[in-house]
Amino acid sequence: MSSNAPHDLQLRFLLPTAGVRGVAVLLQDTWQAMAERAVYPQAVAELLGEAAAAAALFTAHAKIDGRLSVQLRGQGALRTLFTECTAAGTLRGIAQLDEAALDGSMPPPSRDLRTLGRDALLAITIENPALGGREPMRYQGLVEIDTASLDEAFEGYFRQSEQLPTRMLLACDGQRAAGFMLQALPGDPGDHDGWTRVGALFDTLGAAELLALAPAEVVHRLFHEEAPELLGEQPLQFACSCSRERVGAMLVSLGNDEARAAVAAGGGQAHVRCEFCGEDYRFDDSQLTTLFRATAAEHPVAPGIQ
């Protein structure tokens, strides 16, 4: 990869003759910023990077005005894995392990999704803002986990739930995470062997090459004879949606007694740490008083019936 090539982006492209659309994602600084906020076993770190790349892939074709998340829940050493990509191209993610995996009393996490347990769940959730101050509009698709890898699980989801032939490759190493997805164009079958021909070319792509090359280089290497049309790039970056205002609202939602108890337990300050970005937020008694007064002024209690 050229040193001047962008390291964090989403590239959409079209293979018009074959009737196929595609997305390529590469994360370098974004992935490193996400990974450095916690120390994960290698298998978990790689799954987290792949899930982040998948979330960025999916926002390319879905109608996203808010955010799209990928969540994995299991009953084994890996309990929860969550990644999120917004319409603005910001990503964040986190993984949580069973305490027994942390102290070594159970086997370490595996990359094989089938080790997550019988009730394991993989979900894709889209949350778009609603108009008029109403609750956000949410759509969730559940992915059946009967495969070893994330990309195979997502291929099965699109094939069964969306009736959309899909090929996907996800990869992650210590420096980068990447993803590549092909889908048959809805309503456009292309030429008679387009999907088969493009799939055979896709099968020549390996994880090492996907991680090493810029997205446009991958598209050119695979499909230069298909006259690909590059539809646009979106820069990607790590960012967290936490803020002091949101944490303050969370404390107010606990109620006065519980919020004051958090201050007392913290030696004079309620201490909240964002698990996604590591930002620390602290509130003392006087700051809590200000928060509760502001909330009371915004939402006064309705007078009783006289």
Side-chain angles (χ1 to χ4, degrees):
M1 182 188 301
S2 167
S3 60
N4 296 321
H7 292 149
D8 297 79
L9 59 84
Q10 172 205 86
L11 172 67
R12 296 183 299 113
F13 63 92
L14 183 67
L15 307 176
T17 303
V20 174
R21 65 185 184 183
V23 193
V25 162
L26 182 65
L27 305 173
Q28 180 168 299
D29 296 343
T30 304
W31 164 237
Q32 291 176 17
M34 190 183 301
E36 70 185 8
R37 280 159 170 78
V39 178
Y40 298 117
Q42 182 178 346
V44 174
E46 291 176 356
L47 281 174
L48 184 65
E50 290 182 5
L57 288 174
F58 299 154
T59 60
H61 293 320
K63 294 180 179 179
I64 307 296
D65 296 319
R67 64 194 70 215
L68 181 148
S69 64
V70 171
Q71 185 172 19
L72 182 64
R73 292 182 180 176
Q75 302 299 316
L78 176 61
R79 306 296 287 187
T80 303
L81 184 147
F82 177 93
T83 61
E84 177 185 86
C85 183
T86 68
T90 62
L91 289 103
R92 63 177 185 168
I94 191 173
Q96 295 179 336
L97 304 181
D98 190 284
E99 290 186 3
L102 295 174
D103 64 21
S105 59
M106 72 181 301
S110 167
R111 283 181 50 85
D112 190 333
L113 300 186
R114 294 169 297 188
T115 65
L116 294 173
R118 206 169 63 180
D119 297 325
L121 176 68
L122 181 58
I124 303 172
T125 304
I126 296 173
E127 183 177 297
N128 286 326
L131 300 176
R134 293 174 294 175
E135 288 294 313
M137 296 178 290
R138 300 178 78 248
Y139 165 81
Q140 186 173 76
L142 301 180
V143 183
E144 183 179 355
I145 300 179
D146 57 3
T147 64
S149 67
L150 272 177
D151 40 23
E152 291 175 322
F154 287 128
E155 284 183 356
Y157 167 76
F158 283 107
R159 183 172 59 252
Q160 297 170 18
S161 301
E162 306 291 331
Q163 302 296 305
L164 197 58
T166 300
R167 298 297 307 276
M168 186 181 302
L169 178 64
L170 299 170
C172 181
D173 61 14
Q175 299 299 314
R176 299 187 180 102
F180 199 91
M181 182 170 70
L182 298 174
Q183 289 184 322
L185 271 173
D188 181 1
D191 56 10
H192 73 282
D193 67 342
W195 181 251
T196 301
R197 185 177 67 250
V198 166
L201 294 169
F202 173 84
D203 286 335
T204 68
L205 178 64
E209 186 175 27
L210 180 62
L211 290 165
L213 298 179
E217 293 179 70
V218 178
V219 174
H220 176 75
R221 205 280 286 170
L222 291 177
F223 304 122
H224 59 277
E225 294 184 355
E226 295 286 333
E229 297 178 9
L230 303 185
L231 302 180
E233 295 180 347
Q234 179 174 29
L236 302 171
Q237 63 178 333
F238 173 83
C240 189
S241 58
C242 74
S243 67
R244 187 170 181 82
E245 291 73 20
R246 293 183 69 173
V247 174
M250 181 273 294
L251 288 171
V252 169
S253 73
L254 296 177
N256 186 71
D257 291 346
E258 192 167 343
R260 302 290 179 183
V263 170
Q269 287 187 326
H271 175 210
V272 179
R273 182 179 184 273
C274 176
E275 294 183 334
F276 288 96
C277 67
E279 186 73 24
D280 282 315
Y281 297 95
R282 297 175 184 271
F283 294 81
D284 59 23
D285 253 327
S286 65
Q287 290 168 329
L288 279 184
T289 298
T290 301
L291 285 175
F292 279 102
R293 284 177 177 170
T295 301
E298 292 173 4
H299 307 285
V301 178
I305 297 174
Q306 301 298 321

